[in-house]
Amino acid sequence: MGRRPFRCYRYQKNKPYIKSRYCRGVPESKIKIYDVGAKHAPVDLFPFVAHLVCDEKQQISSEALEACRIAVNKHLTNTVGKDGYHIRVRVHPFHVIRANKMLSCAGADRLSSGMRHSYGKPIGVAARVDIGQILMSVRGKDASEPHVVEAIRRGKFKFAGRQKILKSLKWGFTKYPRAEYVSLRKCGELSADGNIVKVHNRHGLLEKSALYLAGQE
């Protein structure tokens, strides 16, 4: 007997059931890499960001997440180039999915116990997602905006249900709107720290304060 179709597990009917010392023998998640592309690119290089947002309360298998990641990555590599984008998968599959394995051969009714002791064995993992939750974010240059949107649209077909593609008003993977980000970077309150920014607040010693050393205070 093969794997059941995922329509059997699409909805969140049960409580979260995670891998633990009581729930052993769980198959590994199919998705291992959550950041793809130019993940070490500085924060100023990729201002544009688009999100794939879930519009249903459901479960998404690790196989579907991996398929989506591959589809988006392939399209962007062919159009923008492997150093022109950064994909981040924002959900992690922790929920364990079970199946009560049934025999389907001749004479199965004599061998199997039917629905007695029908608590199933783990067969895979899935992510529990909610309405409005971000599934995937892609940042890139402003010029590559149509390619990023098209790549996310292609990855969307790997998921059941409805998803929406949203273009963010914020700068990259930071929490600051574009105009505010530029002004804070100019005055020295924010500094680039890899693919995110570091905030220089007004606490601590003056000789360690970047704002004080820059002559802001």
Side-chain angles (χ1 to χ4, degrees):
M1 179 185 160
R3 280 282 300 268
R4 284 184 193 167
F6 204 75
R7 61 171 175 261
C8 307
Y9 303 101
R10 185 178 153 194
Y11 298 110
Q12 294 184 23
K13 294 190 293 186
N14 305 321
K15 293 177 182 176
Y17 183 63
I18 59 165
K19 183 178 174 181
S20 67
R21 58 183 172 168
Y22 309 111
C23 171
R24 298 181 299 277
V26 178
E28 283 292 313
S29 167
K30 287 288 185 291
I31 182 165
K32 293 277 175 42
I33 303 166
Y34 291 87
D35 281 85
V36 197
K39 55 189 175 185
H40 298 299
V43 66
D44 293 332
L45 188 61
F46 295 150
F48 174 74
V49 63
H51 305 296
L52 179 62
V53 180
C54 186
D55 209 25
E56 294 191 30
K57 184 174 173 145
Q58 62 178 4
Q59 295 179 159
I60 295 176
S61 68
S62 63
E63 287 89 349
L65 289 170
E66 174 69 357
C68 177
R69 183 189 70 82
I70 289 169
V72 174
N73 187 39
K74 187 171 184 180
H75 183 74
L76 286 174
T77 305
N78 293 338
T79 52
V80 181
K82 63 180 181 1
D83 295 325
Y85 63 92
H86 176 196
I87 302 167
R88 179 172 285 169
V89 180
R90 301 277 294 271
V91 290
H92 289 244
F94 292 123
H95 180 72
V96 177
I97 284 164
R98 303 186 305 265
N100 177 30
K101 293 214 171 75
M102 296 279 202
L103 294 171
S104 56
C105 55
D109 52 334
R110 294 168 181 275
L111 301 170
S112 67
S113 55
M115 289 302 285
R116 288 180 186 167
H117 304 297
S118 59
Y119 195 83
K121 295 275 195 297
I123 59 162
V125 284
R128 292 163 66 91
V129 295
D130 219 327
I131 295 170
Q133 186 171 347
I134 297 174
L135 304 176
M136 175 183 281
S137 300
V138 184
R139 66 185 181 122
K141 294 177 179 170
D142 284 327
S144 56
E145 177 183 327
H147 301 301
V148 169
V149 172
E150 171 62 17
I152 295 176
R153 190 191 70 84
R154 292 184 180 206
K156 203 169 69 157
F157 296 127
K158 307 298 178 187
F159 298 138
R162 178 185 293 181
Q163 293 81 31
K164 290 181 177 171
I165 301 169
L166 299 183
K167 288 191 257 187
S168 177
L169 299 174
K170 297 188 168 58
W171 184 288
F173 287 162
T174 66
K175 62 180 182 180
Y176 301 99
R178 287 196 170 205
E180 188 184 341
Y181 175 85
V182 172
S183 63
L184 288 173
R185 284 283 278 135
K186 277 182 182 170
C187 74
E189 201 162 316
L190 296 178
S191 67
D193 185 27
N195 57 25
I196 52 170
V197 283
K198 193 180 279 183
V199 183
H200 296 293
N201 52 22
R202 290 162 173 78
H203 296 288
L205 300 172
L206 281 177
E207 58 262 26
K208 290 184 181 177
S209 168
L211 290 173
Y212 179 74
L213 296 173
Q216 291 291 323
E217 294 179 343

